[in-house]
Amino acid sequence: AGPTRPLTKEEERERRRQLRAEAASEFRREGGPRDRGPERLLARNVVDSRRTVGTWFFGGALIVLIGSNAAMPAVVRLISNVLWGALALGVVVDSILICRKISKLVRQRFPKTDQRMGSLYLYAVMRSITFRRMRAPAPQVKLGDKV
């Protein structure tokens, strides 16, 4: 290999853009360091195989934000507050159910794991409140699949 000519600014910019695109594609496909390990894969699959209340939380929060405006009638504000409470309770109950299922499956499949369960629960809950299309790494199981 002989010496190569230096790249022009445009070529260097295009090269960096291509490297960023490749890195983003790899991250979307495989995830980062926090996504590695069989326990994390199991937690991802548990969350990805079910519909979660958390994915509806942000849309509901927007409705609550608009509905709780002081200019709204009292009935609308009341409905908005009830919706807020229902969404919050739904997310908490759904998170507890997800954590219980993950705990059971991890104890069955990985009895000698050194993974901290608290961090695994938080990982699963954070994934459950993320919109399915925005999850990284991308879901590997379909909704309703058996884990």
Side-chain angles (χ1 to χ4, degrees):
T4 60
R5 67 175 176 80
L7 299 175
T8 65
K9 285 184 180 181
E10 292 80 22
E11 291 171 335
E12 181 65 27
R13 189 177 307 125
E14 184 58 36
R15 186 177 141 280
R16 276 184 292 184
R17 186 176 298 131
Q18 184 179 7
L19 289 174
R20 271 195 311 271
E22 289 171 4
S25 173
E26 180 183 357
F27 181 79
R28 177 84 175 122
R29 192 175 51 253
E30 298 175 16
R34 70 179 181 140
D35 301 307
R36 297 201 176 105
E39 296 91 351
R40 298 283 172 126
L41 176 63
L42 178 63
R44 281 196 305 273
N45 288 343
V46 166
V47 171
D48 293 341
S49 68
R50 57 189 288 159
R51 293 193 188 276
T52 61
V53 178
T55 57
W56 299 97
F57 185 76
F58 292 111
L62 180 65
I63 293 170
V64 167
L65 183 66
I66 294 169
S68 63
N69 187 350
M72 292 289 176
V75 175
V76 174
R77 287 194 311 247
L78 176 66
I79 292 171
S80 175
N81 287 335
V82 169
L83 178 64
W84 181 249
L87 281 171
L89 183 64
V91 168
V92 169
V93 169
D94 197 33
S95 298
I96 290 170
L97 294 175
I98 288 171
C99 292
R100 287 180 62 190
K101 183 164 187 168
I102 288 173
S103 174
K104 177 183 159 193
L105 289 175
V106 167
R107 273 191 263 115
Q108 279 179 354
R109 297 182 188 178
F110 308 105
K112 297 185 189 228
T113 185
D114 59 348
Q115 179 77 37
R116 291 188 355 243
M117 295 306 286
S119 66
L120 194 59
Y121 297 154
L122 185 61
Y123 177 76
V125 169
M126 293 305 294
R127 188 167 177 93
S128 74
I129 64 172
T130 305
F131 294 116
R132 186 173 173 88
R133 290 184 182 172
M134 297 176 71
R135 293 177 185 166
Q140 298 175 356
V141 296
K142 294 180 181 175
L143 288 172
D145 282 357
K146 192 82 171 160
V147 178

